[in-house]
Amino acid sequence: MNRSELAPLIDHTVLGPTTTPSDVTRVLEEAADNGMNVCIPPYAVERAAESYPGLTIATVVGFPHGQHDHDVKRREGVLAWKAGADELDVVLNVGLLKAGDDDRVAAELEELVAAVPIPVKVIIETALLTETEKRRACSAAVDATAAMVKTSTGFSGGGATVADVELMSEYLPVKASGGVGSYEEAMAMLEAGAERIGASSGVAILESAPE
């Protein structure tokens, strides 16, 4: 896959706890210059949408642990959409899933999906889940009519794996995120069934891709 084919499949990401406005600006400029999308903190969405109207902008909801009250998650998603976000990446409540409250997990996600007219990706945090729990998380995302499932936030250890992408792609399109730092790793995820890559190393990935 060459650079022009790969670029629109990458969400160039900056979401760390010390992320500054200048970090966000750098990522926006790199994405615009290279044809990528971005995934940025919620506070930065409105300015980014105004300054880069042609860019696909994703932001996060309930980040990074997914433990916000469901009303807060819904409100956060609506505010992000109104600010100009094109996509939302919401963190599933892992604690509720592990407690077996799958109906509540799905209902929370469904509320958010119903509240916004833009795609919602569900971050299931694979590093914290058993295979059975991963399948239940994906099923909850399906029940909520989410657009995609995403492997991880990048802040709970682990990250995207080929095995997880293969499993998750049985349910919904997959965004492989967490630890994907090279062209070879990105291609392995895409070949496993991923349809999007989330990475802070988007530029480096593209620089290694064939022209």
Side-chain angles (χ1 to χ4, degrees):
M1 184 177 290
N2 63 35
R3 293 181 189 179
S4 62
E5 294 168 331
L6 179 57
L9 306 182
I10 297 175
D11 289 359
H12 194 33
T13 301
V14 59
L15 293 169
T18 60
T19 294
T20 65
S22 61
D23 294 329
V24 175
T25 297
R26 172 183 54 79
V27 165
L28 289 166
E29 291 175 350
E30 290 172 346
D33 289 344
N34 290 278
M36 296 182 286
N37 318 305
V38 293
C39 189
I40 58 176
Y43 82 86
V45 168
E46 185 170 12
R47 187 171 181 181
E50 292 171 352
S51 301
Y52 297 84
L55 207 57
T56 297
I57 298 171
T59 194
V60 288
V61 173
F63 198 84
H65 299 308
Q67 295 174 332
H68 299 46
D69 181 85
H70 67 101
D71 286 333
V72 174
K73 281 184 173 177
R74 183 183 64 249
R75 179 65 173 158
E76 187 177 15
V78 170
L79 288 172
W81 159 56
K82 290 183 176 179
D86 301 295
E87 300 176 350
L88 303 176
D89 291 17
V90 58
V91 187
L92 175 144
N93 191 319
V94 170
L96 289 180
L97 184 83
K98 284 186 170 293
D101 202 345
D102 295 24
D103 289 344
R104 188 173 170 191
V105 170
E108 175 182 274
L109 297 173
E110 187 175 7
E111 281 189 28
L112 175 59
V113 171
V116 295
I118 56 177
V120 174
K121 313 184 200 85
V122 177
I123 306 172
I124 72 169
E125 206 67 281
T126 51
L128 303 180
L129 304 179
T130 65
E131 179 175 339
T132 298
E133 289 168 341
K134 292 170 192 175
R135 291 189 179 279
R136 287 170 42 218
C138 289
S139 293
V142 170
D143 291 344
T145 66
M148 302 182 80
V149 282
K150 176 177 170 180
T151 53
S152 62
T153 62
F155 294 96
S156 291
T161 68
V162 165
D164 284 339
V165 170
E166 289 175 343
L167 181 153
M168 294 163 66
S169 64
E170 296 176 20
Y171 296 84
L172 285 170
V174 178
K175 176 176 173 180
S177 183
V180 183
S182 69
Y183 172 74
E184 291 76 18
E185 289 168 340
M187 289 306 301
M189 298 302 163
L190 293 171
E191 289 167 3
E195 297 187 17
R196 194 80 67 85
I197 301 294
S200 59
S201 305
V203 173
I205 291 170
L206 288 181
E207 286 178 345
S208 299
E211 295 186 13

